[in-house]
Amino acid sequence: MKKSVPSLVKDPELIKKRREQMVKGAVRLFIEKGFHRTTTREIAKESGFSIGTLYEYIRSKEDILYLVCDAIYEEVRDRLAYHLDTDNKGIDRLKKAVAAYFQVIHDMQDEVLVMYQEAKSLPKEALSYVLQKEVEMTEMIEQVIRECAKEGVIHVHDAQVKLVAHNILVQGHMWTFRRWQIQKHFSLEDYTNLQIEQLLQGVNHRLM
Amino acid sequence: MKKSVPSLVKDPELIKKRREQMVKGAVRLFIEKGFHRTTTREIAKESGFSIGTLYEYIRSKEDILYLVCDAIYEEVRDRLAYHLDTDNKGIDRLKKAVAAYFQVIHDMQDEVLVMYQEAKSLPKEALSYVLQKEVEMTEMIEQVIRECAKEGVIHVHDAQVKLVAHNILVQGHMWTFRRWQIQKHFSLEDYTNLQIEQLLQGVNHRLM
Amino acid sequence: MKKSVPSLVKDPELIKKRREQMVKGAVRLFIEKGFHRTTTREIAKESGFSIGTLYEYIRSKEDILYLVCDAIYEEVRDRLAYHLDTDNKGIDRLKKAVAAYFQVIHDMQDEVLVMYQEAKSLPKEALSYVLQKEVEMTEMIEQVIRECAKEGVIHVHDAQVKLVAHNILVQGHMWTFRRWQIQKHFSLEDYTNLQIEQLLQGVNHRLM
Amino acid sequence: MKKSVPSLVKDPELIKKRREQMVKGAVRLFIEKGFHRTTTREIAKESGFSIGTLYEYIRSKEDILYLVCDAIYEEVRDRLAYHLDTDNKGIDRLKKAVAAYFQVIHDMQDEVLVMYQEAKSLPKEALSYVLQKEVEMTEMIEQVIRECAKEGVIHVHDAQVKLVAHNILVQGHMWTFRRWQIQKHFSLEDYTNLQIEQLLQGVNHRLM
DNA sequence: AATGAATGAGGCTTCATTCAT
DNA sequence: GATGAATGAAGCCTCATTCAT
């Protein structure tokens, strides 16, 4: 499943190090001008080595995009997992999870933005792999919701679980994608609180 | 504000006709392979005229993207406005609005997808203009919410209005962006009902 | 069978004209430095147009090689056919044919040399097509031999016909391939006469 | 005259061994894809050592081609010399020589093919040296012819000697270069016999 | 107004060669 | 002596744009 990008260089340590440089450089450039407007030479330069060296560690420009997306997902997931790893109980578990997720997205705004904007340019197979990561993310959130439901602190029928998970995920993306609007009106804290309030109580309309 | 694209041709009728052909052709191609991977030659061919003629009606490839985005927004807004133009009252007004919006998005899935994925490649000024359209859309939704609130059928404090509007908008996008996941699990009708339920009542947790 | 090279340009007249320029320029360069050491830009320049224009008339560098080989074969064959088209009778028919063939090869030395040295770099399919031309050439010579045999002026059993045709063909190539040796020792006339003598009488060894 | 390729390594035994590996690997690759399409990296790998090591034993890629051509010539000549070293007398001496030569070429088809196709890519000086080997080969054959003539078993005037030698040589090459045609129609034995027959008697035309 | 041939800057990638370890 | 990572010149090709007809 994990499509490992072939390299002409043998030393795994070196591969890791160089690819980290490369991803870091590429992200910076992709954020600035997007994947298509960034040249391989620019990536090499920004990464601190020559174009020849770049191609010792990848086969094509698309490989770089893949490495970038993979790296970003990995980091988002790791950070999220780290924050979810608490012993919160009750409704707090969900609240903290949402807050943690929004915080992670906030901290990695540019990266997340790039990934969601450029992933579509991945070759089919690589795209599938990356989308799979998105599924995993969804499942992590679903898991939290289900646990809260099991504890009885929220009432949510089965179909809703998946939907709510997606909603939360997308509200995270929204924080970056619509930042030019949203971040003008809300601090991250306010945004988080409001979304949680909305999530738990809805718009609280008169009972029908 | 409206950045009108200059044309070498004078006859406005003709301009309108040719640009419609052009947008139609371009959308088809952008959906298939994205903006960057589509060539101007292909667009000309798909539009039914020559590359020379294409450049009689635009100055640059980016102009086409602008026309495309503009056309899509225009259509989404028009359709939505058409559907909102009812005399629904009470909570129904909001429900119907959301349903109508989702339906419009559903009917124009590919176009919406393309627009949100490629708009980032617009030159700054054009991007601003397009984002302005997004603001207008948000305001249309906000308006509905505010009216419901005024009627007293929902209780929503001021800060929430904007947020909820954004949420609804983004839940529409989600229907296209995450279709590979969401549309596997929900019909449009179910999706709509569930999102409305969620919007109004939240996950309905125990009162604290 | 005839693999016609696709062109972006429509006008057949123009295609013919530009490709003639191209082939002429390419032959000059291939003679000088070989196919692999000649760049597409050099070919464009030598042909009198830009690299962009070059690629309006071909898809790849290999296409040029194909056009070159095809053009050379075509010319050799046409010239040969022209010379063979006489009403010589008897042994003279064969003698004149060989002389004519050698003359053609002599006149097109560089081209012939290039073709035989570089054809191996053609993509498979194109190579097959070119080799087919070689078969046709052989058959033209075989034809002459067979006619002489039918007239009874030479005695040659069936198996020999093909072999002798090949021999003659190859003796033509030899005049170009080994010119650094052969042309030092023989004039074309001497070479022709000697080869004909050898062809007809062998080394004339004592009967066994 | 013999252009010895400089090496950074001193030990002559080692040089010999490594170069043998190298030539063997290179020939295999050249046969498969030609000189220009074979990379030095591939040669190193096929030879069983690293690219760094490769360059300890040569200065440039062309050196490899030179070593390859040299090795092939050497082997052809040695094998031929071995076969010529008999005490055949009379016309048999020539017949056996031709047969032996054809057999050697047959046994080394691929190598011979590569050499004649790629030698043109040698730098000038190296090319001269290799061509000199071709001269030597010719002289070996000339020698046999002259001896037969001296014995009186064939009648061949002076100018013919060189020509016949070249013819024989080229008929050997022909066995490999035109194999796609010739080997379809003749076994090596038949080919040999027919060529000898042709060589000795010509097409045996009616006396004029 | 329409056409499409011409242009050339610039993108991606390869590969012979070097050199520090 | 052996290794293989690093280099960058240079090659092939694309494509947005122009302009003569």
Side-chain angles (χ1 to χ4, degrees), chain A residues 24-115:
Chain A
K24 212 169 143 191
V27 166
R28 216 165 12 230
L29 291 165
F30 291 174
I31 285 168
E32 188 190 324
K33 39 207 303 205
F35 174 69
H36 282 103
R37 293 201 211 280
T38 301
T39 70
T40 51
R41 273 209 252 284
E42 288 170 323
I43 296 171
K45 194 171 181 188
E46 187 82 13
S47 309
F49 36 71
S50 72
I51 183 66
T53 298
L54 184 75
Y55 274 89
E56 293 278 304
Y57 294 92
I58 51 153
R59 287 162 313 172
S60 70
K61 196 186 173 192
E62 283 172 345
D63 277 350
I64 305 178
L65 182 55
Y66 172 73
L67 291 175
V68 162
C69 291
D70 194 38
I72 294 174
Y73 253 119
E74 214 78 347
E75 186 165 355
V76 169
R77 208 207 32 216
D78 287 356
R79 288 200 195 194
L80 182 56
Y82 174 79
H83 284 294
L84 292 189
D85 187 27
T86 67
D87 45 1
N88 287 308
K89 288 293 168 216
I91 197 65
D92 245 27
R93 179 153 170 68
L94 180 56
K95 287 180 175 181
K96 289 278 168 58
V98 171
Y101 170 61
F102 286 0
Q103 183 67 52
V104 169
I105 295 287
H106 178 77
D107 293 341
M108 296 182 65
Q109 272 188 66
D110 291 335
E111 287 81 359
V112 167
L113 197 57
V114 158
M115 197 190 57

Side-chain angles (χ1 to χ4, degrees), chain D residues 9-10 18 51-53 57:
Chain D
V9 175
K10 292 308 154 204
R18 290 277 182 258
I51 183 66
T53 300
Y57 294 91

Side-chain angles (χ1 to χ4, degrees), chain C residues 85-142:
Chain C
D85 187 28
T86 68
D87 47 359
N88 287 307
K89 290 289 167 217
I91 195 68
D92 247 26
R93 179 155 169 67
L94 181 56
K95 286 181 175 180
K96 289 279 167 55
V98 171
Y101 169 62
F102 286 0
Q103 184 67 50
V104 169
I105 295 288
H106 178 78
D107 294 341
M108 297 182 65
Q109 273 186 65
D110 290 336
E111 286 82 358
V112 168
L113 196 57
V114 158
M115 197 189 57
Y116 283 104
Q117 282 187 336
E118 307 294 1
K120 70 173 198 303
S121 296
L122 286 170
K124 227 178 190 144
E125 204 195 356
L127 181 57
S128 296
Y129 171 71
V130 168
L131 291 184
Q132 182 51 37
K133 300 233 157 176
E134 188 71 25
V135 172
E136 286 169 30
M137 289 280 300
T138 315
E139 286 167 350
M140 287 173 74
I141 301 292
E142 279 184 52

Side-chain angles (χ1 to χ4, degrees), chain B residues 56-69:
Chain B
E56 297 280 314
Y57 295 90
I58 52 154
R59 288 162 311 171
S60 71
K61 194 186 174 190
E62 283 170 345
D63 277 350
I64 306 177
L65 181 55
Y66 171 74
L67 291 174
V68 162
C69 291

